[in-house]
Coordinates of all heavy atoms in Angstrom, one line a residue:
M1 N 6.2 22.8 -5.9 CA 5.5 21.8 -5.1 C 4.3 21.3 -5.9 O 4.0 20.1 -5.8 CB 5.1 22.4 -3.8 CG 4.5 21.4 -2.8 SD 5.7 20.2 -2.4 CE 4.8 19.2 -1.3
L2 N 3.7 22.2 -6.6 CA 2.5 21.7 -7.4 C 2.9 20.7 -8.5 O 2.2 19.8 -8.8 CB 1.8 23.0 -8.1 CG 0.6 22.7 -8.9 CD1 -0.5 22.1 -8.1 CD2 0.1 23.9 -9.6
V3 N 4.1 20.9 -9.1 CA 4.6 20.0 -10.1 C 4.8 18.6 -9.4 O 4.5 17.6 -10.0 CB 5.9 20.5 -10.7 CG1 6.5 19.5 -11.6 CG2 5.6 21.8 -11.5
D4 N 5.4 18.6 -8.2 CA 5.6 17.3 -7.5 C 4.2 16.6 -7.2 O 4.1 15.4 -7.3 CB 6.3 17.6 -6.2 CG 7.7 18.0 -6.4 OD1 8.3 17.7 -7.4 OD2 8.3 18.5 -5.4
I5 N 3.2 17.4 -6.9 CA 1.9 16.8 -6.6 C 1.3 16.2 -7.9 O 0.8 15.0 -7.8 CB 1.0 17.9 -6.0 CG1 1.4 18.2 -4.6 CG2 -0.5 17.4 -6.0 CD1 0.7 19.4 -4.0
I6 N 1.3 16.9 -8.9 CA 0.8 16.4 -10.2 C 1.6 15.2 -10.7 O 1.0 14.2 -11.1 CB 0.7 17.5 -11.3 CG1 -0.2 18.6 -10.9 CG2 0.4 17.0 -12.6 CD1 -0.2 19.8 -11.7
F7 N 2.9 15.3 -10.6 CA 3.7 14.2 -11.0 C 3.5 12.9 -10.2 O 3.4 11.8 -10.7 CB 5.2 14.6 -10.8 CG 6.2 13.9 -11.7 CD1 6.0 13.9 -13.0 CD2 7.3 13.3 -11.1 CE1 7.0 13.2 -13.8 CE2 8.2 12.7 -11.9 CZ 8.0 12.6 -13.2
S8 N 3.3 13.1 -8.9 CA 3.0 11.9 -8.0 C 1.7 11.3 -8.3 O 1.5 10.1 -8.3 CB 3.1 12.3 -6.5 OG 2.1 13.2 -6.2
L9 N 0.7 12.1 -8.6 CA -0.7 11.6 -8.9 C -0.6 10.8 -10.2 O -1.2 9.7 -10.3 CB -1.7 12.8 -9.1 CG -2.1 13.4 -7.8 CD1 -3.0 14.7 -8.1 CD2 -2.9 12.5 -7.0
V10 N 0.1 11.3 -11.2 CA 0.2 10.6 -12.5 C 0.9 9.3 -12.3 O 0.5 8.2 -12.8 CB 0.9 11.5 -13.6 CG1 1.2 10.7 -14.8 CG2 0.0 12.7 -13.9
I11 N 2.1 9.3 -11.6 CA 2.9 8.1 -11.5 C 2.1 7.1 -10.6 O 2.1 5.9 -10.9 CB 4.2 8.4 -10.9 CG1 5.1 9.2 -11.9 CG2 5.0 7.1 -10.5 CD1 6.4 9.7 -11.4
G12 N 1.5 7.5 -9.5 CA 0.8 6.6 -8.6 C -0.4 6.0 -9.4 O -0.7 4.8 -9.2
G13 N -1.1 6.8 -10.2 CA -2.2 6.3 -10.9 C -1.8 5.3 -12.0 O -2.5 4.2 -12.2
T14 N -0.7 5.5 -12.6 CA -0.1 4.6 -13.6 C 0.3 3.3 -13.0 O 0.0 2.2 -13.6 CB 1.1 5.3 -14.3 OG1 0.7 6.5 -14.9 CG2 1.6 4.4 -15.4
V15 N 0.9 3.4 -11.8 CA 1.3 2.1 -11.2 C 0.0 1.4 -10.7 O 0.0 0.1 -10.8 CB 2.2 2.4 -9.9 CG1 2.4 1.2 -9.1 CG2 3.5 3.0 -10.4
G16 N -1.0 2.1 -10.3 CA -2.3 1.4 -10.0 C -2.9 0.7 -11.2 O -3.4 -0.4 -11.0
I17 N -2.9 1.3 -12.4 CA -3.4 0.7 -13.6 C -2.6 -0.5 -13.9 O -3.1 -1.6 -14.3 CB -3.5 1.7 -14.7 CG1 -4.6 2.7 -14.4 CG2 -3.8 1.0 -16.0 CD1 -4.6 3.8 -15.5
I18 N -1.2 -0.4 -13.8 CA -0.4 -1.5 -14.1 C -0.6 -2.7 -13.2 O -0.7 -3.9 -13.6 CB 1.1 -1.1 -14.1 CG1 1.4 -0.2 -15.3 CG2 2.1 -2.3 -14.1 CD1 2.8 0.5 -15.2
G19 N -0.8 -2.4 -11.9 CA -1.2 -3.5 -11.0 C -2.5 -4.1 -11.3 O -2.7 -5.3 -11.1
H20 N -3.5 -3.3 -11.7 CA -4.8 -3.9 -12.1 C -4.6 -4.8 -13.3 O -5.2 -5.9 -13.3 CB -5.7 -2.7 -12.5 CG -7.0 -3.1 -13.0 ND1 -8.1 -3.5 -12.1 CD2 -7.5 -3.3 -14.2 CE1 -9.1 -3.8 -12.8 NE2 -8.8 -3.7 -14.1
V21 N -3.9 -4.4 -14.3 CA -3.7 -5.3 -15.5 C -2.9 -6.5 -15.1 O -3.2 -7.6 -15.6 CB -3.0 -4.5 -16.6 CG1 -2.5 -5.4 -17.7 CG2 -3.8 -3.4 -17.1
R22 N -1.9 -6.4 -14.2 CA -1.2 -7.6 -13.8 C -2.1 -8.6 -13.1 O -2.0 -9.8 -13.2 CB 0.0 -7.1 -12.9 CG 0.9 -8.3 -12.4 CD 1.9 -7.8 -11.4 NE 1.4 -7.0 -10.3 CZ 0.9 -7.6 -9.2 NH1 0.8 -8.9 -9.1 NH2 0.4 -6.9 -8.2
K23 N -3.0 -8.0 -12.3 CA -3.8 -8.9 -11.5 C -4.9 -9.5 -12.3 O -5.2 -10.7 -12.1 CB -4.5 -8.1 -10.3 CG -5.1 -8.9 -9.3 CD -5.8 -8.0 -8.2 CE -4.9 -6.8 -7.8 NZ -5.6 -6.0 -6.8
H24 N -5.6 -8.8 -13.2 CA -6.7 -9.3 -13.9 C -6.4 -9.7 -15.4 O -7.2 -10.4 -16.0 CB -7.8 -8.2 -14.0 CG -8.3 -7.9 -12.6 ND1 -9.2 -8.7 -11.9 CD2 -8.1 -6.8 -11.8 CE1 -9.5 -8.1 -10.7 NE2 -8.8 -7.0 -10.7
G25 N -5.3 -9.3 -15.9 CA -4.9 -9.7 -17.3 C -5.5 -8.7 -18.3 O -5.2 -8.9 -19.5
K26 N -6.3 -7.8 -17.9 CA -7.0 -6.8 -18.8 C -7.5 -5.7 -18.0 O -7.5 -5.7 -16.8 CB -8.1 -7.5 -19.6 CG -9.2 -8.0 -18.7 CD -10.3 -8.6 -19.6 CE -11.4 -9.1 -18.7 NZ -12.5 -9.7 -19.4
I27 N -7.9 -4.6 -18.7 CA -8.5 -3.5 -18.0 C -10.0 -3.7 -17.9 O -10.7 -3.9 -18.9 CB -8.2 -2.2 -18.7 CG1 -6.7 -1.9 -18.7 CG2 -9.0 -1.0 -18.2 CD1 -6.3 -0.6 -19.3
I28 N -10.5 -3.7 -16.7 CA -11.9 -3.9 -16.5 C -12.6 -2.6 -16.3 O -12.2 -1.8 -15.4 CB -12.2 -4.8 -15.2 CG1 -11.6 -6.2 -15.4 CG2 -13.7 -4.9 -14.9 CD1 -11.6 -7.1 -14.2
M29 N -13.5 -2.3 -17.2 CA -14.2 -1.0 -17.2 C -15.2 -0.8 -16.0 O -15.7 -1.9 -15.6 CB -14.9 -0.7 -18.5 CG -14.0 -0.7 -19.7 SD -12.6 0.5 -19.6 CE -13.6 2.0 -19.8
P30 N -15.4 0.4 -15.5 CA -16.4 0.5 -14.5 C -17.8 0.1 -15.0 O -18.1 0.3 -16.1 CB -16.4 2.0 -14.2 CG -15.1 2.5 -14.7 CD -14.7 1.6 -15.8
R31 N -18.6 -0.4 -14.0 CA -20.0 -0.8 -14.4 C -20.9 -0.6 -13.2 O -20.4 -0.6 -12.0 CB -20.0 -2.2 -15.0 CG -19.7 -3.3 -14.0 CD -19.7 -4.6 -14.7 NE -19.5 -5.7 -13.7 CZ -18.3 -6.2 -13.4 NH1 -17.2 -5.7 -14.1 NH2 -18.2 -7.1 -12.5
K32 N -22.2 -0.5 -13.5 CA -23.1 -0.4 -12.4 C -24.1 -1.6 -12.4 O -24.6 -1.9 -13.5 CB -23.9 0.9 -12.6 CG -24.9 1.2 -11.5 CD -25.6 2.5 -11.7 CE -26.7 2.7 -10.7 NZ -27.4 3.9 -10.9
T33 N -24.2 -2.2 -11.3 CA -25.2 -3.3 -11.2 C -26.4 -2.8 -10.4 O -26.5 -1.6 -10.1 CB -24.6 -4.5 -10.4 OG1 -24.2 -4.2 -9.1 CG2 -23.4 -5.1 -11.2
K34 N -27.4 -3.7 -10.1 CA -28.6 -3.2 -9.4 C -28.3 -2.7 -8.0 O -28.9 -1.8 -7.5 CB -29.6 -4.4 -9.3 CG -30.2 -4.7 -10.7 CD -31.2 -5.8 -10.6 CE -31.8 -6.2 -11.9 NZ -32.7 -7.3 -11.9
K35 N -27.3 -3.3 -7.3 CA -27.0 -3.0 -5.9 C -25.7 -2.3 -5.7 O -25.4 -1.9 -4.6 CB -27.1 -4.2 -5.1 CG -28.5 -4.8 -5.0 CD -28.6 -5.9 -4.1 CE -30.0 -6.5 -4.0 NZ -30.0 -7.7 -3.1
F36 N -24.8 -2.3 -6.7 CA -23.4 -1.9 -6.5 C -22.8 -1.2 -7.7 O -23.2 -1.6 -8.8 CB -22.6 -3.2 -6.1 CG -21.2 -3.0 -5.7 CD1 -20.9 -2.4 -4.5 CD2 -20.2 -3.3 -6.6 CE1 -19.6 -2.2 -4.2 CE2 -18.8 -3.1 -6.2 CZ -18.6 -2.5 -5.0
I37 N -21.9 -0.3 -7.4 CA -21.2 0.3 -8.5 C -19.8 -0.2 -8.4 O -19.1 0.0 -7.4 CB -21.2 1.9 -8.4 CG1 -22.6 2.4 -8.5 CG2 -20.3 2.5 -9.4 CD1 -22.7 3.9 -8.3
Y38 N -19.3 -0.9 -9.4 CA -18.0 -1.5 -9.5 C -17.1 -0.5 -10.3 O -17.4 -0.2 -11.4 CB -18.0 -2.9 -10.2 CG -16.6 -3.5 -10.3 CD1 -16.0 -3.9 -9.1 CD2 -16.0 -3.7 -11.5 CE1 -14.7 -4.5 -9.2 CE2 -14.8 -4.3 -11.5 CZ -14.1 -4.7 -10.4 OH -12.9 -5.2 -10.5
L39 N -16.0 0.0 -9.6 CA -15.2 1.0 -10.2 C -14.2 0.5 -11.2 O -13.6 1.2 -12.0 CB -14.5 1.8 -9.1 CG -15.4 2.6 -8.2 CD1 -14.5 3.3 -7.1 CD2 -16.1 3.6 -9.0
G40 N -14.0 -0.8 -11.2 CA -13.0 -1.4 -12.2 C -11.6 -0.9 -12.0 O -11.1 -0.9 -10.8
F41 N -11.0 -0.5 -13.1 CA -9.6 0.0 -13.0 C -9.5 1.3 -12.2 O -8.4 1.6 -11.7 CB -8.9 0.1 -14.3 CG -9.4 1.3 -15.1 CD1 -8.6 2.4 -15.1 CD2 -10.5 1.2 -15.9 CE1 -9.0 3.5 -15.8 CE2 -10.9 2.3 -16.6 CZ -10.2 3.5 -16.6
L42 N -10.6 2.1 -12.2 CA -10.5 3.3 -11.5 C -10.2 3.2 -10.0 O -9.6 4.1 -9.4 CB -11.8 4.1 -11.7 CG -12.1 4.6 -13.1 CD1 -13.5 5.3 -13.1 CD2 -11.1 5.6 -13.5
E43 N -10.7 2.1 -9.4 CA -10.5 1.9 -8.0 C -9.0 1.8 -7.7 O -8.5 2.5 -6.8 CB -11.2 0.6 -7.6 CG -11.0 0.2 -6.1 CD -11.6 -1.1 -5.8 OE1 -12.0 -1.9 -6.7 OE2 -11.7 -1.5 -4.6
E44 N -8.3 1.0 -8.4 CA -6.8 0.9 -8.2 C -6.0 2.1 -8.6 O -5.0 2.4 -8.0 CB -6.4 -0.4 -8.9 CG -7.0 -1.6 -8.2 CD -6.6 -2.9 -8.9 OE1 -5.7 -3.0 -9.7 OE2 -7.3 -3.9 -8.7
M45 N -6.5 2.7 -9.7 CA -5.8 4.0 -10.1 C -5.9 5.1 -9.1 O -5.0 5.7 -8.7 CB -6.4 4.4 -11.5 CG -5.7 5.7 -12.0 SD -6.5 6.3 -13.5 CE -7.8 7.2 -12.8
L46 N -7.1 5.2 -8.5 CA -7.3 6.3 -7.5 C -6.6 6.0 -6.2 O -6.0 6.9 -5.6 CB -8.8 6.4 -7.3 CG -9.7 7.1 -8.4 CD1 -11.1 7.0 -8.0 CD2 -9.2 8.5 -8.6
L47 N -6.6 4.7 -5.8 CA -5.9 4.3 -4.6 C -4.4 4.5 -4.8 O -3.7 5.1 -3.9 CB -6.2 2.9 -4.2 CG -5.7 2.5 -2.8 CD1 -6.3 3.3 -1.8 CD2 -5.9 1.0 -2.6
G48 N -3.8 4.2 -5.9 CA -2.4 4.4 -6.2 C -2.1 5.9 -6.2 O -1.1 6.3 -5.7
A49 N -2.9 6.7 -6.8 CA -2.7 8.1 -6.9 C -2.8 8.8 -5.6 O -1.9 9.6 -5.2 CB -3.7 8.7 -7.9
V50 N -3.8 8.4 -4.8 CA -3.9 9.0 -3.5 C -2.8 8.6 -2.5 O -2.2 9.4 -1.8 CB -5.3 8.7 -2.9 CG1 -5.4 9.1 -1.4 CG2 -6.4 9.4 -3.7
A51 N -2.4 7.4 -2.6 CA -1.3 6.9 -1.8 C 0.0 7.6 -2.1 O 0.8 8.0 -1.3 CB -1.1 5.4 -1.9
A52 N 0.3 7.8 -3.4 CA 1.5 8.5 -3.9 C 1.4 10.0 -3.4 O 2.4 10.5 -3.0 CB 1.6 8.4 -5.4
L53 N 0.2 10.6 -3.6 CA 0.1 12.0 -3.2 C 0.4 12.2 -1.7 O 1.1 13.1 -1.3 CB -1.3 12.5 -3.5 CG -1.7 13.9 -3.0 CD1 -0.8 14.9 -3.7 CD2 -3.1 14.2 -3.2
L54 N -0.2 11.3 -0.9 CA 0.0 11.4 0.6 C 1.4 11.2 1.0 O 2.0 11.9 1.8 CB -0.9 10.5 1.3 CG -2.4 10.8 1.3 CD1 -3.2 9.7 1.9 CD2 -2.7 12.1 1.9
L55 N 2.1 10.2 0.4 CA 3.5 10.0 0.7 C 4.4 11.1 0.2 O 5.3 11.5 0.9 CB 3.9 8.6 0.1 CG 5.2 8.0 0.7 CD1 5.1 7.8 2.2 CD2 5.5 6.7 0.0
V56 N 4.1 11.6 -0.9 CA 5.0 12.7 -1.4 C 4.8 14.0 -0.6 O 5.7 14.7 -0.2 CB 4.7 13.0 -2.9 CG1 5.2 14.4 -3.4 CG2 5.3 11.9 -3.8
L57 N 3.5 14.3 -0.2 CA 3.3 15.4 0.7 C 4.0 15.2 2.1 O 4.4 16.2 2.7 CB 1.8 15.6 0.9 CG 1.1 16.2 -0.3 CD1 -0.4 16.3 -0.1 CD2 1.6 17.6 -0.7
Y58 N 4.0 14.0 2.6 CA 4.6 13.7 3.9 C 6.1 13.8 3.8 O 6.7 14.3 4.8 CB 4.1 12.3 4.3 CG 4.6 12.0 5.7 CD1 4.1 12.6 6.8 CD2 5.6 11.0 5.8 CE1 4.6 12.3 8.1 CE2 6.1 10.7 7.1 CZ 5.6 11.3 8.2 OH 6.1 11.0 9.4
T59 N 6.7 13.3 2.8 CA 8.2 13.2 2.7 C 8.8 14.4 2.1 O 10.0 14.7 2.4 CB 8.6 12.0 2.0 OG1 8.1 12.0 0.6 CG2 8.2 10.7 2.7
A60 N 8.1 15.2 1.3 CA 8.7 16.3 0.6 C 10.0 16.0 -0.1 O 11.1 16.4 0.3 CB 8.8 17.5 1.5
P61 N 10.0 15.3 -1.2 CA 11.2 14.9 -1.9 C 12.0 16.1 -2.5 O 11.4 17.1 -2.8 CB 10.7 14.0 -3.0 CG 9.3 14.3 -3.2 CD 8.8 14.8 -1.9
N62 N 13.3 16.0 -2.5 CA 14.1 17.1 -3.0 C 14.4 17.1 -4.5 O 14.8 18.1 -5.0 CB 15.5 17.1 -2.2 CG 15.3 17.3 -0.7 OD1 14.4 18.0 -0.3 ND2 16.1 16.6 0.1
S63 N 14.2 15.9 -5.1 CA 14.5 15.9 -6.5 C 13.4 15.1 -7.3 O 12.6 14.4 -6.6 CB 15.9 15.2 -6.8 OG 15.8 13.8 -6.4
N64 N 13.4 15.1 -8.6 CA 12.5 14.4 -9.4 C 12.7 12.9 -9.2 O 11.7 12.1 -9.3 CB 12.5 14.8 -10.8 CG 11.9 16.1 -11.0 OD1 11.1 16.6 -10.3 ND2 12.3 16.8 -12.1
V65 N 13.9 12.4 -9.1 CA 14.2 11.0 -8.9 C 13.6 10.5 -7.6 O 13.0 9.4 -7.6 CB 15.7 10.7 -9.0 CG1 16.0 9.3 -8.7 CG2 16.3 11.2 -10.3
E66 N 13.7 11.2 -6.6 CA 13.1 10.8 -5.3 C 11.6 10.8 -5.4 O 10.9 9.9 -4.9 CB 13.5 11.8 -4.2 CG 14.9 11.7 -3.7 CD 15.2 12.7 -2.6 OE1 14.3 13.3 -2.1 OE2 16.4 12.7 -2.2
N67 N 11.0 11.8 -6.1 CA 9.6 11.8 -6.4 C 9.1 10.6 -7.1 O 8.1 10.0 -6.8 CB 9.2 13.1 -7.1 CG 7.8 13.4 -7.1 OD1 7.0 12.6 -6.6 ND2 7.4 14.5 -7.7
I68 N 9.8 10.2 -8.1 CA 9.5 9.0 -8.9 C 9.5 7.8 -8.1 O 8.6 7.0 -8.1 CB 10.4 8.9 -10.2 CG1 10.1 10.0 -11.2 CG2 10.2 7.5 -10.8 CD1 11.1 10.1 -12.3
I69 N 10.6 7.6 -7.3 CA 10.7 6.4 -6.5 C 9.7 6.3 -5.4 O 9.0 5.3 -5.2 CB 12.2 6.3 -5.9 CG1 13.2 6.1 -7.0 CG2 12.3 5.2 -4.9 CD1 14.6 6.3 -6.6
I70 N 9.4 7.4 -4.8 CA 8.4 7.4 -3.7 C 7.0 7.2 -4.3 O 6.2 6.4 -3.7 CB 8.5 8.8 -3.0 CG1 9.7 8.9 -2.1 CG2 7.2 9.0 -2.1 CD1 10.0 10.2 -1.5
S71 N 6.7 7.7 -5.4 CA 5.4 7.5 -6.1 C 5.2 6.1 -6.5 O 4.1 5.6 -6.4 CB 5.3 8.5 -7.3 OG 5.3 9.8 -6.9
I72 N 6.3 5.5 -7.0 CA 6.2 4.1 -7.4 C 5.9 3.2 -6.2 O 5.1 2.3 -6.2 CB 7.4 3.7 -8.2 CG1 7.4 4.3 -9.6 CG2 7.5 2.1 -8.4 CD1 8.7 4.1 -10.4
V73 N 6.7 3.4 -5.2 CA 6.5 2.6 -4.0 C 5.1 2.8 -3.4 O 4.5 1.8 -2.9 CB 7.6 3.0 -2.9 CG1 7.3 2.4 -1.6 CG2 9.0 2.5 -3.4
A74 N 4.6 4.0 -3.4 CA 3.3 4.3 -2.8 C 2.2 3.6 -3.7 O 1.3 3.1 -3.2 CB 3.0 5.8 -2.7
G75 N 2.4 3.6 -5.0 CA 1.4 2.9 -5.9 C 1.4 1.5 -5.6 O 0.3 0.8 -5.6
I76 N 2.6 0.9 -5.5 CA 2.7 -0.6 -5.2 C 2.0 -0.9 -3.8 O 1.3 -1.9 -3.6 CB 4.1 -1.1 -5.2 CG1 4.6 -1.0 -6.7 CG2 4.3 -2.5 -4.7 CD1 6.1 -1.2 -6.8
F77 N 2.2 0.0 -2.8 CA 1.7 -0.2 -1.5 C 0.1 -0.1 -1.6 O -0.6 -0.9 -0.9 CB 2.2 0.9 -0.5 CG 1.6 0.8 0.8 CD1 1.9 -0.3 1.7 CD2 0.6 1.7 1.2 CE1 1.4 -0.4 2.9 CE2 0.1 1.6 2.5 CZ 0.4 0.6 3.3
G78 N -0.4 0.8 -2.4 CA -1.8 0.9 -2.6 C -2.4 -0.4 -3.2 O -3.5 -0.9 -2.8
D79 N -1.7 -1.0 -4.1 CA -2.1 -2.3 -4.7 C -2.1 -3.4 -3.7 O -3.0 -4.2 -3.6 CB -1.2 -2.6 -5.9 CG -1.7 -3.9 -6.7 OD1 -2.9 -4.0 -6.9 OD2 -0.8 -4.6 -7.0
A80 N -1.0 -3.4 -2.9 CA -0.9 -4.4 -1.8 C -2.0 -4.3 -0.8 O -2.5 -5.3 -0.3 CB 0.5 -4.3 -1.2
T81 N -2.4 -3.0 -0.5 CA -3.5 -2.8 0.5 C -4.8 -3.4 -0.1 O -5.5 -4.0 0.7 CB -3.6 -1.3 0.7 OG1 -2.4 -0.8 1.2 CG2 -4.7 -1.0 1.7
L82 N -5.1 -3.1 -1.3 CA -6.3 -3.7 -1.9 C -6.3 -5.2 -1.9 O -7.3 -5.9 -1.6 CB -6.5 -3.2 -3.3 CG -7.1 -1.9 -3.5 CD1 -7.2 -1.6 -5.0 CD2 -8.5 -1.8 -2.9
S83 N -5.1 -5.8 -2.2 CA -5.0 -7.3 -2.2 C -5.2 -7.8 -0.8 O -5.8 -8.9 -0.6 CB -3.6 -7.7 -2.7 OG -3.5 -7.3 -4.0
G84 N -4.6 -7.1 0.2 CA -4.8 -7.6 1.6 C -6.2 -7.5 2.1 O -6.7 -8.4 2.8
L85 N -6.9 -6.4 1.7 CA -8.3 -6.3 2.1 C -9.2 -7.4 1.4 O -10.1 -7.9 2.1 CB -8.8 -4.9 1.7 CG -8.3 -3.7 2.5 CD1 -8.8 -2.4 2.0 CD2 -8.7 -3.9 4.0
K86 N -8.9 -7.7 0.2 CA -9.6 -8.7 -0.5 C -9.4 -10.1 0.2 O -10.3 -10.9 0.4 CB -9.2 -8.8 -2.0 CG -10.0 -9.7 -2.8 CD -9.5 -9.7 -4.2 CE -10.3 -10.6 -5.1 NZ -9.9 -10.6 -6.5
L87 N -8.1 -10.3 0.6 CA -7.8 -11.6 1.3 C -8.6 -11.7 2.6 O -9.1 -12.7 3.0 CB -6.3 -11.7 1.5 CG -5.8 -13.0 2.1 CD1 -6.1 -14.2 1.2 CD2 -4.3 -12.9 2.4
L88 N -8.6 -10.6 3.4 CA -9.3 -10.6 4.7 C -10.8 -10.8 4.5 O -11.4 -11.5 5.2 CB -9.1 -9.2 5.4 CG -7.7 -9.1 6.0 CD1 -7.6 -7.7 6.6 CD2 -7.5 -10.1 7.1
R89 N -11.3 -10.2 3.4 CA -12.8 -10.4 3.1 C -13.1 -11.8 2.8 O -14.1 -12.3 3.2 CB -13.1 -9.4 2.0 CG -14.6 -9.1 1.9 CD -14.9 -8.1 0.8 NE -14.1 -6.9 0.9 CZ -13.6 -6.2 -0.1 NH1 -13.8 -6.7 -1.3 NH2 -12.8 -5.2 0.0
Q90 N -12.2 -12.5 2.0 CA -12.4 -13.9 1.7 C -12.4 -14.8 2.9 O -13.1 -15.7 3.0 CB -11.4 -14.3 0.6 CG -11.7 -13.8 -0.8 CD -10.6 -14.2 -1.8 OE1 -9.6 -14.7 -1.4 NE2 -10.9 -13.9 -3.0
K91 N -11.4 -14.5 3.8 CA -11.3 -15.3 5.0 C -12.5 -15.2 5.9 O -12.9 -16.1 6.5 CB -10.0 -15.0 5.7 CG -8.8 -15.5 5.1 CD -7.5 -15.3 5.9 CE -6.3 -16.0 5.3 NZ -5.2 -15.9 6.1
S92 N -13.0 -13.9 6.0 CA -14.2 -13.7 6.9 C -15.4 -14.4 6.3 O -16.3 -14.8 7.0 CB -14.4 -12.2 7.1 OG -14.8 -11.6 5.9
E93 N -15.5 -14.5 5.0 CA -16.7 -15.1 4.4 C -16.6 -16.6 4.5 O -17.7 -17.3 4.6 CB -16.7 -14.8 2.9 CG -17.1 -13.4 2.6 CD -17.1 -13.0 1.1 OE1 -16.8 -13.9 0.3 OE2 -17.4 -11.9 0.8
E94 N -15.4 -17.2 4.7 CA -15.3 -18.7 4.8 C -15.7 -19.1 6.2 O -16.2 -20.2 6.4 CB -13.8 -19.1 4.6 CG -13.4 -19.0 3.2 CD -11.9 -19.3 3.0 OE1 -11.2 -19.6 4.0 OE2 -11.4 -19.2 1.9
K95 N -15.6 -18.2 7.2 CA -16.0 -18.7 8.6 C -17.4 -18.7 8.8 O -18.3 -18.4 8.3 CB -15.3 -17.7 9.6 CG -13.8 -17.9 9.6 CD -13.2 -17.0 10.6 CE -11.7 -17.2 10.7 NZ -11.1 -16.4 11.7

C-alpha cells in the first residue's frame, strides 16, 4: 500500500506540472511579493498529488495499471479544479 501511495503522489504531481506547463507555456517558479506568496508550479503539483493520493486511498486499486490510470485522472481533475476556481474568481471580479 505504501508503494501505491508514493506512486500516486509522483504521478499526480507530474500530471500537475504538465498541466502547469500546458497552461502557462513554461514553469513559473515560486516567488514572494509584499502581500502574497505565489507558489507557481508547486501549487498545481501539490494539488495534483493530493488529489491522486485521496483518490487512490479511496478506491484501493488492485494493480499498478489501475493506480496509474486513477492517478492521471485525479491529476487532471486537480488541474480542472484550479481552472474552475480561477474562472469563478474572474466572473466575481467583473460584477
Side-chain angles (χ1 to χ4, degrees):
M1 187 66 178
L2 182 62
V3 173
D4 290 341
I5 290 171
I6 294 170
F7 204 55
S8 68
L9 287 171
V10 170
I11 292 174
T14 303
V15 171
I17 291 174
I18 291 170
H20 176 82
V21 171
R22 182 184 54 83
K23 194 182 316 178
H24 298 285
K26 61 182 179 178
I27 292 181
I28 299 174
M29 299 303 287
R31 65 180 185 269
K32 183 179 178 183
T33 61
K34 291 181 181 178
K35 295 183 180 180
F36 186 70
I37 297 174
Y38 180 67
L39 295 177
F41 77 94
L42 290 177
E43 177 182 13
E44 294 176 16
M45 183 184 78
L46 290 173
L47 189 64
V50 169
L53 174 66
L54 292 176
L55 196 59
V56 164
L57 288 177
Y58 181 73
T59 58
N62 295 325
S63 69
N64 286 338
V65 175
E66 287 180 8
N67 193 358
I68 291 170
I69 292 170
I70 289 171
S71 297
I72 290 172
V73 168
I76 292 170
F77 178 73
D79 183 43
T81 303
L82 277 178
S83 298
L85 289 174
K86 185 176 180 181
L87 182 65
L88 286 175
R89 205 175 305 140
Q90 287 176 350
K91 284 189 177 184
S92 67
E93 289 176 0
E94 289 176 1
K95 290 182 179 182

